[in-house]
Amino acid sequence: MNTSDLKIDLINRITRLKEVRIIEEIQKLLDFELDNHEYILADCQEDRISEAQEEYKKSSFLSDDEANQDIEEWLKEDNLDTKKLILKEKKFLNIGYSETDLKISV
């Protein structure tokens, strides 16, 4: 099938859809794919990306196996409050905030 045939097939299939949820999902996908606007990052997000790139260049990261092994060992420990704090901290840092922004109480 060439591109024109695929488009026609897709249009025909979409017109037969009854489920609004599926149509909305298709629309979201197309909106995302066709959006030519540049996504603007906050300064803290840009800083975190730069930091991650430097870590990558220095090979300062864990492989999947190493990370999974660390997690397994960590889960065997008894300090649940510390685990909750670390999980919250990692989630917080992964969305673009710095450690100085981090204020979490357990």
Side-chain angles (χ1 to χ4, degrees), residues 48 52 54-74 86 90:
R48 182 61 189 112
E54 287 302 314
E55 290 172 357
Y56 179 78
K57 287 177 188 174
K58 296 176 185 174
S59 296
S60 181
F61 55 87
L62 298 174
S63 69
D64 285 344
D65 290 337
E66 291 170 324
N68 288 334
Q69 183 179 355
D70 283 358
I71 291 169
E72 288 300 321
E73 290 174 18
W74 179 63
I86 291 171
K90 291 203 179 291

Side-chain angles (χ1 to χ4, degrees), residues 20-45:
V20 174
R21 180 188 57 80
I22 295 172
I23 297 169
E24 289 171 344
E25 288 300 316
I26 292 169
Q27 183 175 18
K28 286 179 191 176
L29 176 65
L30 290 172
D31 288 345
F32 177 78
E33 286 297 319
L34 299 174
D35 185 9
N36 293 326
H37 296 94
E38 185 175 322
Y39 184 77
I40 307 298
L41 299 174
D43 289 341
C44 60
Q45 291 172 317

Side-chain angles (χ1 to χ4, degrees), residues 5-106:
D5 292 337
L6 286 171
K7 287 179 181 179
I8 291 169
D9 181 55
L10 185 57
I11 290 168
N12 289 330
R13 292 171 71 188
I14 291 171
T15 57
R16 291 192 307 260
L17 283 173
K18 303 280 190 261
E19 183 81 31
V20 174
R21 180 188 57 80
I22 295 172
I23 297 169
E24 289 171 344
E25 288 300 316
I26 292 169
Q27 183 175 18
K28 286 179 191 176
L29 176 65
L30 290 172
D31 288 345
F32 177 78
E33 286 297 319
L34 299 174
D35 185 9
N36 293 326
H37 296 94
E38 185 175 322
Y39 184 77
I40 307 298
L41 299 174
D43 289 341
C44 60
Q45 291 172 317
E46 289 180 10
D47 292 345
R48 182 61 189 112
I49 290 170
S50 295
E51 183 182 323
Q53 289 171 333
E54 287 302 314
E55 290 172 357
Y56 179 78
K57 287 177 188 174
K58 296 176 185 174
S59 296
S60 181
F61 55 87
L62 298 174
S63 69
D64 285 344
D65 290 337
E66 291 170 324
N68 288 334
Q69 183 179 355
D70 283 358
I71 291 169
E72 288 300 321
E73 290 174 18
W74 179 63
L75 290 173
K76 292 177 186 174
E77 297 172 3
D78 276 342
N79 196 343
L80 185 58
D81 288 340
T82 301
K83 290 177 190 173
K84 287 179 187 175
L85 176 62
I86 291 171
L87 286 174
K88 287 180 185 178
E89 178 181 341
K90 291 203 179 291
K91 181 178 180 184
F92 192 79
L93 294 176
N94 285 338
I95 60 171
Y97 292 92
S98 69
E99 290 182 37
T100 56
D101 297 324
L102 182 62
K103 294 181 180 100
I104 295 177
S105 59
V106 181

